[in-house]
Amino acid sequence: MVKAEYELAPQEGQKKEGSMAGSKKKWLIPLLITVLILLIVAVVLIVLFVEGGPPQYKGFEPILPDKRICFDPKNESSYQKYVQVYNKMIEPYEAARLGGDMIDCTLRPPNNEEVCYFRDTWFDDCSKIGHWGFKTSSPCYFLTLDQHREFAVEPYKKTDVLPEEMPKYLRDYIKEDLEDNKELVGLHCSGSDYYKPLPGFLKNFLRPSNSTNYLTPLVAVAFDLNGKDHLDVECTVWSNTTLVNPFPKISFQFQISQNC
């Protein structure tokens, strides 16, 4: 009998070990699933950043979607398609009038039911009359910053947070605006020093609106291509938004050719 009692002891231990092994399996499976999910996320992020670059802020967009803008200044038909896009773009700005829900946002920000008055004449030489600069080898490139409620960029509010790598002219401009109690989301395009109406977007004009009369804020950037056959351009938004990619970029190329 004693032998039998001693023989039972190993069997009870085996039961305990089996119970512990089952318990380990229960928490090991969720752990493996969690590790697998993290690995998948890591692979996706690597693909985004290494191959495709960081995610872009979809509200920062060009009016011309072409990555290669090819034209011949001496041949109007070569740039007519670009002119037509800009002519269509400017129509609501030409028709805009102060009054009703449309206010002067240089004086105050709009409420949710108001929109900012944005004049078509603010673009100076970038105009319909001047064929948007294509005829004189000084093409204009229009950019818009359309705020999204779930993903909005913020202007700089203090001079001491301006990045050192920001172009000097833009730093100086933002500093002057802050002195005048104006907050600007900066814009810089390589190869140009012409920005109308401003080198960026004033905060008052960036507020989303429920009104059907809302006019997206625009900046016209002109480029001097005289004596050049092409120009590679990169435009960057400079904002105080702390994101994975705080400085969204748009890259494109101008090309002057008789064989576009």
Side-chain angles (χ1 to χ4, degrees):
M1 294 295 292
V2 174
K3 185 177 180 180
E5 289 178 359
Y6 275 95
E7 286 176 352
L8 290 175
Q11 293 178 3
E12 290 177 354
Q14 288 174 359
K15 287 182 179 180
K16 290 180 180 179
E17 289 177 0
S19 176
M20 291 177 64
S23 177
K24 287 181 179 179
K25 288 181 181 179
K26 288 181 180 179
W27 61 260
L28 186 59
I29 292 174
L31 177 62
L32 290 174
I33 293 174
T34 302
V35 171
L36 181 61
I37 292 173
L38 290 174
L39 286 173
I40 293 172
V41 171
V43 171
V44 171
L45 289 175
I46 290 172
V47 171
L48 283 173
F49 280 87
V50 176
E51 296 185 2
Q56 296 294 310
Y57 171 60
K58 62 182 179 179
F60 178 47
E61 299 171 348
I63 299 301
L64 294 178
D66 310 55
K67 290 293 185 181
R68 175 175 170 268
I69 302 172
C70 184
F71 69 101
D72 178 2
K74 298 179 181 178
N75 181 3
E76 186 173 338
S77 63
S78 70
Y79 55 81
Q80 190 60 33
K81 61 179 180 179
Y82 306 128
V83 169
Q84 290 176 350
V85 171
Y86 283 158
N87 287 350
K88 184 69 175 176
M89 167 204 74
I90 205 67
E91 287 179 358
Y93 298 85
E94 291 176 324
R97 297 290 184 272
L98 278 172
D101 65 350
M102 189 163 288
I103 68 166
D104 183 354
C105 290
T106 62
L107 302 177
R108 68 172 179 86
N111 61 39
N112 290 336
E113 304 301 326
E114 295 175 326
V115 293
C116 294
Y117 174 55
F118 208 99
R119 296 183 61 182
D120 61 300
T121 56
W122 288 351
F123 306 119
D124 290 353
D125 294 336
C126 288
S127 65
K128 185 188 296 185
I129 296 175
H131 300 273
W132 308 107
F134 287 97
K135 192 173 184 178
T136 57
S137 299
S138 301
C140 298
Y141 192 77
F142 282 83
L143 292 155
T144 179
L145 188 60
D146 189 5
Q147 290 283 61
H148 296 274
R149 296 180 190 277
E150 70 279 7
F151 189 24
V153 294
E154 287 293 329
Y156 293 101
K157 299 180 180 180
K158 296 180 180 180
T159 58
D160 58 358
V161 297
L162 297 177
E164 293 183 2
E165 62 270 27
M166 178 184 286
K168 184 180 183 303
Y169 83 89
L170 189 55
R171 287 172 60 92
D172 293 341
Y173 197 97
I174 292 178
K175 286 179 180 178
E176 291 179 4
D177 269 8
L178 287 174
E179 291 175 359
D180 294 334
N181 295 317
K182 296 178 181 178
E183 297 175 7
L184 185 79
V185 173
L187 173 66
H188 171 71
C189 293
S190 59
S192 177
D193 58 3
Y194 182 101
Y195 303 86
K196 296 294 180 178
L198 303 170
F201 306 87
L202 284 175
K203 180 180 179 179
N204 284 2
F205 288 82
L206 293 175
R207 185 168 181 172
S209 173
N210 298 326
S211 173
T212 55
N213 294 324
Y214 176 70
L215 296 176
T216 303
L218 295 170
V219 174
V221 187
F223 299 86
D224 185 2
L225 299 185
N226 286 282
K228 302 175 183 177
D229 59 5
H230 76 282
L231 179 66
D232 294 315
V233 181
E234 183 178 75
C235 295
T236 307
V237 162
W238 292 84
S239 75
N240 197 33
T241 308
T242 305
L243 299 166
V244 174
N245 179 31
F247 309 128
K249 302 177 185 295
I250 289 175
S251 300
F252 62 97
Q253 182 189 72
F254 281 116
Q255 183 173 3
I256 293 182
S257 173
Q258 295 179 353
N259 303 309
C260 292

